[in-house]
């Protein structure tokens, strides 16, 4: 018998990737998305780390693009 404690929360790796990619592609959408999404909302730990980096970059007034994001993640040793 499976209990609620044995179940994994629903997750969709492709949906998470799509959200991260969409925000990276159009930084103007970040504010609207950030009102609804927190790092803990991502099931994949890597996606949580990427989202946290995006939040910090935007908070610092920096744009989010693949190179800036990669540099930030490398600086974090993520």
């Amino acid at each position: 018998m499976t209990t609620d404690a044995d179940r994994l929360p629903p997750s969709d790796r492709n949906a998470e990737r799509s959200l991260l990619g969409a925000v990276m592609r159009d930084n103007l959408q970040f504010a609207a998305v950030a009102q609804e999404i927190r790092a803990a909302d991502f099931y994949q730990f890597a996606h949580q780390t990427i989202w946290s980096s995006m939040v910090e970059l935007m908070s610092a007034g920096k744009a989010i693009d693949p190179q800036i994001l990669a540099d930030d993640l490398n600086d974090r040793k993520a």
Side-chain angles (χ1 to χ4, degrees):
M1 181 170 145
T2 302
T3 65
D4 286 340
D6 296 328
R7 292 180 154 173
L8 293 175
S11 65
D12 185 337
R13 182 183 302 199
N14 289 329
E16 291 183 9
R17 286 179 183 167
S18 294
L19 177 69
L20 294 170
V23 170
M24 194 178 321
R25 186 170 183 200
D26 184 359
N27 288 195
L28 296 176
Q29 300 305 315
F30 177 83
V33 174
Q35 289 179 4
E36 302 293 328
I37 301 293
R38 303 286 175 258
D41 294 329
F42 291 93
Y43 182 76
Q44 299 289 317
F45 179 73
H47 296 163
Q48 293 174 4
T49 303
I50 292 167
W51 182 254
S52 294
S53 177
M54 289 176 151
V55 168
E56 289 186 22
L57 287 169
M58 289 301 285
S59 294
K62 297 180 181 177
I64 301 169
D65 71 26
Q67 188 60 54
I68 292 171
L69 184 59
D71 290 345
D72 187 66
L73 292 169
N74 284 330
D75 290 346
R76 295 167 170 246
K77 305 274 189 240

